[in-house]
Amino acid sequence: RRDPMNLPDPLLVTHALASVSLVGLIWTIQLVHYPLFLRVPPEAFAGYETEHMRRITWLVGPLMLLEAGSTILVTLRYPESALVWIGAALLILIWVLTATVQGPLHTRLARDGFDEVRIRLLVRSNWARTIAWSIRGVIALLILGAEDVFLVTP
């Protein structure tokens, strides 16, 4: 076990903070923000969606890059840990879904305007990312809180 007087590994702290921040953000998006898309007046929707994409990128982009970078470094440092690899696989899944499902849906909504079917698909399909990020957050906290249990020290 880690000596209680030692500070936690800054890499693991960074990794956990990025992951947990994104967990909070994705749940807010899933339960509050995306469902409210249905309440935007159709004539204002394309502009609203364009502005949403512009603003959310400045928030989620740096956090996703920090999470990805810290995940790569954690994986390189602890390649023997199955938990680390599970977290990395979930991150790959999140990025693939973002690039192939959520991103294109947002682009179409910004281009074509209000479309109830697409908005409902956006909400439904985002559950996969919400669940994956939630599991990642738990994994990051487990690793941070008990690194001597879950990680093999090189």
Side-chain angles (χ1 to χ4, degrees):
R1 285 207 159 259
R2 177 178 38 188
D3 180 347
M5 297 304 292
N6 286 344
L7 295 175
D9 181 343
L11 172 60
L12 298 179
V13 171
T14 300
H15 178 249
L17 283 173
S19 294
V20 170
S21 295
L22 285 161
V23 169
L25 181 60
I26 198 68
W27 276 99
T28 302
I29 293 290
Q30 183 64 31
L31 297 179
V32 178
H33 198 67
Y34 281 175
L36 286 175
F37 278 19
L38 292 168
R39 296 198 173 255
V40 176
E43 63 276 5
F45 188 84
Y48 179 87
E49 172 65 7
T50 300
E51 189 64 14
H52 159 78
M53 290 168 56
R54 186 185 70 76
R55 289 176 182 233
I56 201 71
T57 298
W58 287 104
L59 180 60
V60 76
L63 285 172
M64 285 181 74
L65 290 173
L66 182 61
E67 183 186 40
S70 65
T71 297
I72 290 167
L73 293 175
V74 168
T75 304
L76 290 172
R77 185 180 293 175
Y78 302 103
E80 302 87 1
S81 171
L83 204 53
V84 168
W85 283 103
I86 292 167
L90 288 168
L91 185 62
I92 291 168
L93 174 65
I94 290 164
W95 278 72
V96 167
L97 291 173
T98 300
T100 63
V101 179
Q102 303 317 115
L105 280 170
H106 279 291
T107 300
R108 287 185 198 110
L109 286 166
R111 182 191 65 215
D112 301 339
F114 186 91
D115 182 332
E116 184 175 345
V117 171
R118 281 189 181 145
I119 293 169
R120 290 189 186 285
L121 178 59
L122 184 73
V123 174
R124 277 193 321 273
S125 63
N126 196 54
W127 277 112
R129 291 191 320 161
T130 302
I131 292 165
W133 250 316
S134 297
I135 295 169
R136 273 194 52 73
V138 169
I139 288 171
L141 290 173
L142 284 172
I143 290 169
L144 176 63
E147 63 184 278
D148 54 333
V149 174
F150 293 109
L151 301 177
V152 177
T153 307

